[in-house]
Amino acid sequence: MKVLLVGASGTIGKAVATELGARHDIITAGRTSGDIQIDICDTASIRDAFKKVGTVDAVVSTAGKVHFGDFAEMDDEKYRIGINDKLMGQVNLVLIGRDYVADTASFTLTTGVLTKDPIRYGSSASMVNGAVESFVRAAAIEMTPGLRINAVSPGVISEAMEGYGPFFRGHNPVPAARAALGYAKSVEGLQTGQVFEIF
């Protein structure tokens, strides 16, 4: 199986590459690294990347940036960082990618625990994650028969606790390798329209 992994250089992306790479041909992609470069905020960049890699059997996104900040200081510009990047960036991977993937391909997007368990400074992440999950559920019922789409929603990643620990007190961190199992389930299974929560 040929898998395009967007966000491959990140903590989760590396774990997904290790998990799926044992069984599949992984094409890594990132803004400035990987087998190909792709900026998910730029639709032309997304289209060019798909043209370069050719037909793939799965698209996995572990990419997406949001702004963390005090709600009192959040404004339109700060919210649009997450809207343009993690939300529409991942949505556009699907909208553009559906014209380049195999007839039975899958798309796997990334959300996170803040959808249901918000933290201080995380209102943008919660909003964007919820929107991505709603998109996945809705898109699944209208996609071309044979295509699938899911999302993986991991808890805070153990390897990221050094930086994020103060904001996730009381959370049970998830090792990146365990989070990667959710992506394997999406890519290698048959379910669609699902959000695989990894806690």
Side-chain angles (χ1 to χ4, degrees):
M1 187 181 293
K2 190 175 177 183
V3 180
L4 175 61
L5 174 56
V6 183
S9 65
T11 303
I12 296 177
K14 290 176 182 175
V16 173
T18 298
E19 172 65 30
L20 291 178
R23 300 177 294 280
H24 307 292
D25 178 19
I26 307 297
I27 302 163
T28 59
R31 276 193 176 91
T32 58
S33 63
D35 298 321
I36 60 167
Q37 278 69 61
I38 182 171
D39 178 358
I40 63 172
C41 293
D42 181 349
T43 54
S45 176
I46 295 173
R47 188 168 284 105
D48 286 346
F50 276 109
K51 288 178 180 177
K52 288 176 183 175
V53 300
T55 304
V56 295
D57 303 294
V59 177
V60 174
S61 171
T62 60
K65 181 170 61 176
V66 300
H67 179 80
F68 284 86
D70 191 320
F71 180 70
E73 299 174 359
M74 292 294 289
D75 57 21
D76 180 89
E77 183 180 0
K78 292 182 175 70
Y79 277 113
R80 287 192 184 278
I81 292 170
I83 292 171
N84 294 336
D85 197 307
K86 189 171 185 179
L87 174 55
M88 288 312 302
Q90 294 196 101
V91 168
N92 282 325
L93 281 173
V94 177
L95 297 183
I96 296 169
R98 61 188 172 180
D99 294 328
Y100 294 91
V101 299
D103 292 342
T104 56
S106 67
F107 293 90
T108 306
L109 309 184
T110 295
T111 62
V113 65
L114 299 187
T115 305
K116 295 182 177 179
D117 195 359
I119 61 169
R120 186 178 184 184
Y121 303 137
S123 63
S124 177
S126 293
M127 176 185 74
V128 167
N129 288 348
V132 172
E133 292 184 8
S134 293
F135 168 73
V136 163
R137 292 186 177 101
I141 67 173
E142 292 191 73
M143 292 189 96
T144 301
L147 295 182
R148 298 185 300 108
I149 183 170
N150 297 298
V152 177
S153 174
V156 60
I157 301 300
S158 301
E159 292 86 340
M161 284 298 282
E162 183 176 347
Y164 288 103
F167 305 103
F168 285 88
R169 298 301 186 202
H171 284 247
N172 184 21
V174 176
R178 189 162 89 232
L181 298 177
Y183 297 86
K185 184 174 185 178
S186 177
V187 170
E188 299 174 316
L190 292 177
Q191 296 187 63
T192 190
Q194 302 299 306
V195 177
F196 299 121
E197 298 180 345
I198 313 294
F199 300 122

